[in-house]
Amino acid sequence: MLCSNCRTDEAATAEGLCHACSVAAVDITPPGPWAGGVLRSPVGISYAVVALLCLVIATDLFSVVAAVGLGNLTATAYSDADLERATSLLDTAGVTQGIAQLATLFAFLVWFQRARNNAGVFAPDLQRRGAGWATGGWFVPFGNLCIPRAITADIWAASRRDPYGTGKQEPHTVVNVWWTAWLATTLINPVAGSQIDSADTPDAFSAGADAFVLAGILDIAAALLAIVVVRRLTRMQYVKAALRAEQVSKEAAV
């Protein structure tokens, strides 16, 4: 029978939990010392990141609705006033998206830096870049298209219960899918904006609206996948620290 909590490992307790989930139920916030450094719990900040990612999804839906409205408008006879209202609504959606994404970026970087610092304690030899790259890597022109994904993969490897194993039990496939979606929306957003800004015919406005719809859908997918990455990495680090805390406690009792 699978664990009633994670639905991944076999249940090992009377409560129907696997060993990792039963250990993770112990309050260890902050997780405490580790050989070579001190861990800081990523749990609290992860809640803020997930909430803000949900806000991003809400603003993306607003953008999609506004873009669909613009596309539908261009398929009918419309006045200049109708077009101005539709494009103004799309502009408003873009502003709300920008605000939500900026707030999410700030919280995400705090969480990401903490996760990277913990990974440097778990398995420093698996980190191919210094801890400062966890934040700085996002702001390197062109480098930000690959550096953050590589750092995430290193954090994932260090956070596994067996960092030096094959990784088959805790593959980082979701990291690759998330990064692909994020790259796609990053590339198409400027194209959609440019099409709307330069549009001067119904067909041009319709094409720009379609691009905005696609960008919004991709951004929703990227945000959902980011939630999965944040939640899974946070749990992996929490469980790993909990298992260590249990081991230290047993050794101290001997």
Side-chain angles (χ1 to χ4, degrees):
M1 183 178 68
L2 293 178
C3 172
S4 61
N5 182 49
C6 66
R7 299 291 181 181
T8 302
D9 298 332
E10 291 291 328
T13 68
E15 293 79 12
L17 300 174
C18 67
H19 181 64
C21 287
S22 66
V23 172
V26 179
D27 183 9
I28 55 159
T29 306
W34 191 280
V38 176
L39 300 172
R40 296 186 64 194
S41 174
V43 175
I45 187 62
S46 74
Y47 294 148
V49 175
V50 169
L52 286 167
L53 283 168
C54 290
L55 178 61
V56 168
I57 292 173
T59 62
D60 287 337
L61 289 172
F62 179 21
S63 177
V64 169
V65 170
V68 169
L70 177 60
N72 290 339
L73 177 66
T74 58
T76 62
Y78 61 89
S79 66
D80 290 342
D82 292 333
L83 181 61
E84 184 176 351
R85 281 192 295 270
T87 54
S88 177
L89 184 62
L90 191 59
D91 289 341
T92 301
V95 171
T96 59
Q97 276 183 305
I99 294 173
Q101 289 171 354
L102 185 62
T104 303
L105 175 63
F106 176 78
F108 180 86
L109 288 179
V110 174
W111 171 84
F112 195 63
Q113 186 68 60
R114 182 167 297 185
R116 168 58 183 84
N117 292 343
N118 287 342
V121 177
F122 290 142
D125 54 320
L126 295 182
Q127 307 310 301
R128 290 171 287 181
R129 291 177 176 84
W133 284 99
T135 298
W138 292 87
F139 302 98
V140 177
F142 301 106
N144 56 11
L145 299 178
C146 59
I147 293 174
R149 183 251 149 221
I151 293 174
T152 306
D154 291 346
I155 295 172
W156 191 284
S159 302
R160 293 195 302 250
R161 273 170 277 182
D162 181 10
Y164 304 99
T166 61
K168 290 183 178 179
Q169 296 299 319
E170 296 163 304
H172 65 265
T173 306
V174 68
V175 173
N176 296 331
V177 179
W178 159 61
W179 195 250
T180 301
W182 185 85
L183 284 178
T185 189
T186 298
L187 294 174
I188 196 172
N189 264 322
V191 175
S194 177
Q195 283 186 309
I196 290 294
D197 290 341
S198 61
D200 55 4
T201 66
D203 288 343
F205 277 111
S206 179
D210 290 343
F212 260 105
V213 170
L214 177 58
I217 292 172
L218 288 172
D219 204 51
I220 290 171
L224 288 171
L225 289 164
I227 289 174
V228 175
V229 170
V230 169
R231 286 178 57 85
R232 287 189 63 182
L233 260 180
T234 298
R235 180 181 180 274
M236 287 166 65
Q237 292 200 344
Y238 188 79
V239 168
K240 191 177 182 75
L243 290 170
R244 175 60 177 172
E246 181 189 48
Q247 179 184 349
V248 170
S249 178
K250 288 181 178 179
E251 290 174 352
V254 174

